[in-house]
């Protein structure tokens, strides 16, 4: 698991004011708008945030791929529909938390995987809510 280096200096990189068209290209306007430090953008509560690298393909449908890095905030209360990092019977997993008909599930976003129903016999510890995904292209 990776953890934030709070002693590291801020790294401000150029942020262009215009958005990039993902459809048809728009005329380029290279006006630099600001500087951006990704730590400030991705980490809202440094003392409660950790990073974890993804293994497996169970969350592909949510845009979470093997080797992605998740930004996880432990201070957020997990609620229905959140993607969470949790320990289930001692094994870490990332899944979407769902309450259905008074039952609790950790659901994958890949039809090749089964939901995990959390029962009274399941040892569940929610480590935190996933707030961002760092994904290489």
């Amino acid at each position: 698991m990776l953890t934030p280096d709070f002693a590291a200096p801020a790294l401000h990189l150029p942020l262009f004011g215009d958005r990039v068209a993902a459809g048809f290209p728009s005329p380029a306007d290279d006006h630099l708008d600001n500087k951006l430090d990704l730590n400030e953008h991705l980490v809202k509560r440094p003392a409660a945030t950790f990073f974890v690298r993804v293994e497996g393909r169970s969350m592909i449908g949510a845009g979470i791929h093997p080797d992605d890095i998740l930004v996880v905030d432990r201070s957020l209360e997990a609620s229905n529909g959140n993607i969470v990092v949790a320990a289930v019977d001692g094994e870490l997993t990332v899944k979407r938390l769902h309450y259905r008909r008074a039952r609790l599930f950790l659901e994958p976003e890949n039809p090749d995987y089964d939901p995990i129903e959390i029962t009274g016999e399941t040892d569940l510890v929610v480590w935190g809510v996933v707030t961002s995904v760092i994904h290489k292209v």
Side-chain angles (χ1 to χ4, degrees), residues 97-136:
L97 184 71
H98 271 289
Y99 295 100
R100 278 195 318 255
R101 298 182 206 137
R103 295 165 59 192
L104 179 61
F105 295 89
L106 292 174
E107 295 188 340
E109 299 247 349
N110 181 336
D112 294 338
Y113 294 82
D114 294 324
I116 301 168
E117 183 173 2
I118 305 302
T119 66
E121 298 161 6
T122 307
D123 181 22
L124 173 68
V125 178
V126 175
W127 282 29
V129 175
V130 175
T131 59
S132 298
V133 178
I134 301 171
H135 175 82
K136 287 186 178 180

Side-chain angles (χ1 to χ4, degrees), residues 32-70:
L32 186 64
D33 189 47
N34 207 340
K35 299 270 184 178
L36 173 71
D37 180 343
L38 285 178
N39 290 312
E40 293 175 13
H41 183 72
L42 297 175
V43 179
K44 302 299 181 205
R45 288 165 284 280
T49 299
F50 66 92
F51 303 139
V52 64
R53 190 173 299 275
V54 175
E55 178 181 295
R57 304 182 58 81
S58 70
M59 294 300 286
I60 288 288
I64 298 173
H65 300 82
D67 292 327
D68 284 357
I69 295 174
L70 304 176

Side-chain angles (χ1 to χ4, degrees), residues 2-38:
L2 303 172
T3 57
D5 181 359
F6 299 115
L11 178 60
H12 295 275
L13 299 175
L15 173 66
F16 289 90
D18 293 331
R19 294 178 185 261
V20 175
F24 288 104
S26 65
D29 185 356
D30 58 350
H31 287 97
L32 186 64
D33 189 47
N34 207 340
K35 299 270 184 178
L36 173 71
D37 180 343
L38 285 178

